[in-house]
Amino acid sequence: MEHRLLGNSGLKVPAVGLGCNNFGGRLDPKETALVLNECIEEGLNFFDTANVYGGGLSEDYMGKALKGKRHEVLIATKAGMSVGDGPNESGSSRKHLMQQIDVSLSRLQTDYIDLYQIHRHDPNTPVEETMRALDDLVAQGKVRYIGCSNYAAWQIAESNGVANNLNLQPFVTVQPEYSMMKRDVEKEISPAAAKLGLGILPYFPLASGFLTGKYKRGAGTPDGTRLAGNQQRADATLTSSNFDLLEKLEDFASQRGYSMVELAIAWLLANPSVSCVIAGATKPEQVKANAKAGDCQITVEEKAELDAILEEHGF
């Protein structure tokens, strides 16, 4: 498994990590442990979760499954989404972050988080307050590095500008939705990340599984798949034009000996600002496929040809 630096930090992470939002929802504790153990075996030891995944059960199940194995893995989690009805139970205020870090540490049964991320920008909290609170968590040893998720480029620049002016820890990563079918990142976030030294951590790299080829034209959504539980996203994804693109990509992949998972992940890893692709998995065999994709590299010519296909179809 290739390893890359996490942004401009000194931390090395695998090219492919595991998105843990299925734990506590689609997966029970035993199934969670099976997936995590397979990840460790395959070298996909960067695990990305959040305090709200599975209503908190994702962190809880991970803590139990990783007992005695903490030294083998890198754990990223997030805070900022609503965890209750109270006025201070969401956002990135000092109060909320200081409270939620202790909740996450307790659930994960650890005394530090490798990467602590703000789940989304909070327009109601001063940027300085958020960055000072995160800097304090690093100073206290509860957090190693900090990042952000679902931020616009200007929000990243503002946050790191404040951090640099005040000599505080800056964000080293940004986590946006990014795939062959979701390329907004390339307009502003990718250039900003390259300029400011942030690593990009793409989530939904397979477009909710569409780019695996598991969905077939006119066949609906198979039971147990991500789109089966999200009708709005399914309607937006399973369109005739999208299947036209998928079939062209499948032809491209088969002619060159790639699986669709390998093609989709290798295409993302061709962006030098990408530190680690966050790919989900609900079964050990999916972990194996993700790991194999992390070792796959496409050529410059193949990347250009793929970009031309995507642009032809409006992506």
Side-chain angles (χ1 to χ4, degrees):
M1 172 63 62
E2 176 195 1
H3 281 73
R4 298 182 171 199
L5 290 174
L6 190 70
N8 60 4
S9 79
L11 183 65
K12 294 180 180 179
V13 295
V16 178
L18 178 71
C20 302
N21 59 340
N22 290 314
F23 301 158
R26 298 169 68 191
L27 300 188
D28 63 23
K30 183 178 179 180
E31 293 165 329
T32 296
L34 285 173
V35 169
L36 290 175
N37 288 336
E38 188 65 35
C39 283
I40 293 172
E41 184 71 23
E42 294 288 341
L44 276 68
N45 67 335
F46 182 84
F47 303 145
D48 179 79
T49 186
N51 61 344
V52 294
Y53 289 170
L57 290 177
S58 175
E59 291 181 330
D60 184 61
Y61 291 179
M62 290 172 66
K64 292 181 173 68
L66 295 173
K67 198 167 185 178
K69 304 172 184 176
R70 178 65 179 94
H71 64 288
E72 299 181 55
V73 304
L74 301 170
I75 296 176
T77 192
K78 312 178 195 74
M81 297 294 196
S82 177
V83 294
D85 297 329
N88 294 303
E89 293 189 273
S90 64
S92 56
S93 67
R94 173 177 288 274
K95 176 178 175 58
H96 188 68
L97 294 178
M98 292 293 183
Q99 191 262 342
Q100 285 302 304
I101 187 64
D102 288 338
V103 171
S104 290
L105 290 172
S106 177
R107 288 174 180 158
L108 289 162
Q109 299 188 37
T110 183
D111 57 2
Y112 71 97
I113 301 298
D114 294 286
L115 177 66
Y116 199 49
Q117 302 157 100
I118 302 300
H119 211 149
R120 65 181 177 191
H121 183 259
D122 177 7
N124 300 312
T125 299
V127 173
E128 181 178 337
E129 178 178 341
T130 299
M131 301 309 290
R132 283 192 182 279
L134 292 171
D135 187 77
D136 286 345
L137 293 179
V138 174
Q140 292 168 11
K142 294 181 178 181
V143 170
R144 297 290 189 257
Y145 301 94
I146 61 172
C148 59
S149 180
N150 302 305
Y151 269 46
W154 71 265
Q155 294 164 342
I156 299 169
E158 180 185 27
S159 298
N160 274 17
V162 168
N164 290 334
N165 288 339
L166 298 175
N167 198 29
L168 305 173
Q169 293 288 327
F171 290 141
V172 299
T173 59
V174 58
Q175 186 173 158
E177 182 176 355
Y178 186 18
S179 72
M180 285 181 167
M181 298 176 65
K182 182 73 172 178
R183 301 180 65 187
D184 301 13
V185 169
E186 296 172 2
K187 296 177 182 177
E188 293 187 357
I189 291 179
S190 189
K195 177 69 174 178
L196 299 173
L198 277 74
I200 298 174
L201 306 176
Y203 71 82
F204 289 172
L206 303 175
S208 297
F210 184 76
L211 290 172
T212 65
K214 70 174 67 174
Y215 302 99
K216 302 300 180 183
R217 192 188 294 268
T221 54
D223 291 341
T225 59
R226 184 181 295 277
L227 290 182
N230 189 331
Q231 190 60 49
Q232 183 178 2
R233 195 174 184 96
D235 290 342
T237 303
L238 304 179
T239 65
S240 178
S241 60
N242 283 352
F243 276 112
D244 290 342
L245 168 63
L246 179 63
E247 289 160 6
K248 190 166 290 188
L249 291 175
E250 287 176 327
D251 286 343
F252 182 99
S254 64
Q255 289 172 15
R256 293 159 179 81
Y258 300 129
S259 71
M260 278 300 297
V261 173
E262 289 171 344
L263 190 70
I265 289 179
W267 179 86
L268 284 167
L269 290 171
N271 182 337
S273 290
V274 169
S275 289
C276 178
V277 175
I278 306 301
T282 57
K283 302 174 183 177
E285 52 264 36
Q286 292 175 337
V287 173
K288 291 181 182 293
N290 292 346
K292 187 177 179 182
D295 289 329
C296 181
Q297 293 184 343
I298 59 174
T299 66
V300 173
E301 293 76 19
E302 288 172 332
K303 174 69 162 57
E305 190 173 344
L306 284 168
D307 287 347
I309 293 172
L310 295 173
E311 289 162 12
E312 177 188 346
H313 288 267
F315 293 102

